[in-house]
Amino acid sequence: MSDDGEQADAEAREWLAATNPQAFVGSRHHVVPRFLLERWANDRGQVRVFRRIEQRLDTCNIRDLAIKDFYTVIDTDGRKNSAMESLLGVIESATKPIVDDLLSPWRTPRMTMEDIARLAQFASFQATRTPRRRREIELEVDWYAKTMAQGVIADEELQRLTIAPHQNELVELTSSSADKILPFFACRPIALVRLDAPRLLICDEPVIVNAPVGAFHLDDCHLTDAEVKKRYENWLRKTKKKKRGRHPPPGRKVHFSSTVPTGFGTADELVLTLSPTAALLWGPLMDTPPVRDIERLRLTGHEAERFADMANTAMSAQALDWVAGRVTDKTFDTRHFPPTGPLMRVCDGTNAASLAVNTPPDRFRPRRLTVPG
């Protein structure tokens, strides 16, 4: 391990030792930080909300957009542990003053490279800590387990089963996934986009990836089950028995994708709304982090409407549970919110495993924490 790696590891152990692992057990965890939601709330802490799963409009306090124990795990002693919520709190506490400075109407401070790096880290966690991302992982695990059981358990029985990973694994993936996509934020120029009027919404999946959905397919994506079976039979016929052990049989190369854009490395831009009138925009990907201050853009009229429409349309489609706006927004109740559908797509023929992914799930929300009996 390098000196930097050893230092980071030592700092992590020191932080964990100083953290109360039960501090936030049983509390409501905001999947979008409260300091952002407050910018949409009125003086009573309320926002106007569209509940996508129930397909209904509501006015609620921002505390009701939180989820109890969403980032809590079970430690090796069998106790609930909220260290992940504490870590997210540290990241949010470091980011809030930067956002406050950026949105201040009184001054235009120069952002340091450390400030810009903190914004990239905040955005990478915000892209991976959401209920939709967790539910997508659950669907991938369900597909994998059912694929492994094919031929051993009948398809009819597999269709009745649901296999889900433990919350510990899901919370751990939040952190590791954020580390993996961090360079795709850090290596882009960043701009603060200000609009001439409050037009922007917020949702439980607030990072917008301006990239095509399911941007690529494999040749095998277009094969039917019958064609895959025929390819395997041809392999049996043409490959001698003594060579089959050295040459694995041809299977199907499987293409898995979300039904919303996730191409952090291929996106033209990445966007995170900060308030009804402001958003951060990360531009085209570069080879190294750009050494420059945050650019400041002001959009008015048609340009502002176009930017807001792009952001709001994307959030209305990618949110899992809720989309929120200001209570005073007279256009919110008449906005079109698309119905929920499949969260993932898999090109894997027709079987119990693929059907569990390619059809709207019976349960849209991720599983809640359970303590081993």
Side-chain angles (χ1 to χ4, degrees):
M1 181 181 295
S2 67
D3 291 342
D4 289 345
E6 290 178 355
Q7 181 180 353
D9 190 51
E11 290 174 353
R13 288 196 300 269
E14 183 179 348
W15 178 83
L16 283 171
T19 300
N20 178 2
Q22 278 76 48
F24 298 104
V25 168
S27 66
R28 297 185 179 191
H29 300 171
H30 280 90
V31 297
V32 176
R34 189 182 183 94
F35 80 83
L36 285 187
L37 295 175
E38 287 172 344
R39 295 188 177 276
W40 277 265
N42 60 17
D43 56 4
R44 299 173 62 185
Q46 295 176 321
V47 289
R48 190 65 173 157
V49 176
F50 181 76
R51 307 280 184 176
R52 284 202 75 199
I53 297 173
E54 291 82 12
Q55 292 284 295
R56 65 178 174 85
L57 290 160
D58 186 18
T59 298
C60 73
N61 193 286
I62 57 176
R63 67 171 175 268
D64 296 323
L65 299 178
I67 306 172
K68 184 177 178 180
D69 279 331
F70 190 68
Y71 303 114
T72 301
V73 299
I74 305 301
D75 65 21
T76 54
D77 295 324
R79 298 177 304 173
K80 290 185 176 181
N81 184 309
S82 61
M84 183 63 177
E85 174 69 0
S86 297
L87 171 62
L88 292 172
V90 170
I91 295 171
E92 292 170 16
S93 296
T95 306
K96 182 180 183 302
I98 301 173
V99 173
D100 289 344
D101 282 348
L102 279 172
L103 301 186
S104 171
W106 314 114
R107 58 197 186 93
T108 306
R110 179 176 176 82
M111 294 287 109
T112 67
M113 294 310 299
E114 182 179 359
D115 293 336
I116 294 172
R118 288 190 183 279
L119 290 172
Q121 182 188 51
F122 174 75
S124 64
F125 268 94
Q126 191 55 68
T128 61
R129 62 187 283 189
T130 62
R132 181 184 180 114
R133 298 305 179 198
R134 182 174 295 187
R135 188 68 186 99
E136 288 179 349
I137 295 169
E138 288 183 354
L139 290 170
E140 290 183 66
V141 170
D142 189 45
W143 170 84
Y144 179 80
K146 288 178 177 176
T147 298
M148 294 298 99
Q150 285 176 5
V152 179
I153 302 176
D155 257 26
E156 294 78 7
E157 179 63 23
L158 287 176
Q159 290 182 39
R160 290 193 290 268
L161 296 175
T162 300
I163 298 95
H166 193 276
Q167 176 144 324
N168 285 22
E169 297 172 309
L170 296 167
V171 171
E172 181 181 356
L173 278 170
T174 296
S175 180
S176 61
S177 298
D179 286 342
K180 290 177 181 177
I181 68 170
L182 175 58
F184 299 125
F185 286 92
C187 294
R188 294 174 184 267
I190 183 173
L192 175 68
V193 180
R194 303 297 294 262
L195 307 186
D196 58 354
R199 306 174 187 271
L200 296 168
L201 305 178
I202 189 76
C203 74
D204 60 359
E205 187 76 23
V207 175
I208 300 163
V209 180
N210 186 9
V213 179
F216 68 92
H217 276 282
L218 307 172
D219 290 342
D220 283 14
C221 292
H222 309 290
L223 295 179
T224 64
D225 288 342
E227 289 170 329
V228 172
K229 181 180 179 182
K230 183 177 180 180
R231 184 170 65 181
Y232 176 71
E233 291 171 346
N234 288 339
W235 177 84
L236 286 177
R237 187 175 64 255
K238 294 179 180 180
T239 306
K240 295 181 179 180
K241 288 185 179 180
K242 63 181 180 179
K243 291 185 178 181
R244 288 177 188 169
R246 298 196 299 271
H247 301 278
R252 183 197 295 271
K253 294 179 182 177
V254 177
H255 175 209
F256 229 115
S257 63
S258 174
T259 53
V260 298
T262 57
F264 291 95
T266 59
D268 293 330
E269 302 98 10
L270 305 171
V271 177
L272 172 63
T273 55
L274 299 180
S275 78
T277 59
L280 287 175
L281 184 149
W282 285 266
L285 186 64
M286 304 171 67
D287 293 333
T288 58
V291 183
R292 68 179 80 165
D293 193 9
I294 292 178
E295 185 179 358
R296 287 165 171 81
L297 305 174
R298 182 165 182 82
L299 304 182
T300 61
H302 177 70
E303 285 188 334
E305 290 179 6
R306 182 173 175 273
F307 182 88
D309 183 63
M310 178 277 294
N312 293 339
T313 299
M315 285 190 286
S316 296
Q318 70 190 32
L320 177 70
D321 207 343
W322 55 264
V323 184
R326 295 169 302 119
V327 173
T328 55
D329 183 354
K330 302 302 182 183
T331 67
F332 189 84
D333 288 10
T334 58
R335 176 173 294 278
H336 171 70
F337 295 98
T340 51
L343 302 181
M344 303 286 288
R345 294 288 187 191
V346 61
C347 301
D348 186 30
T350 305
N351 50 63
S354 62
L355 287 173
V357 174
N358 290 329
T359 56
D362 294 333
R363 173 177 53 83
F364 278 93
R365 295 184 178 94
R367 287 194 178 277
R368 302 298 297 275
L369 177 69
T370 56
V371 181

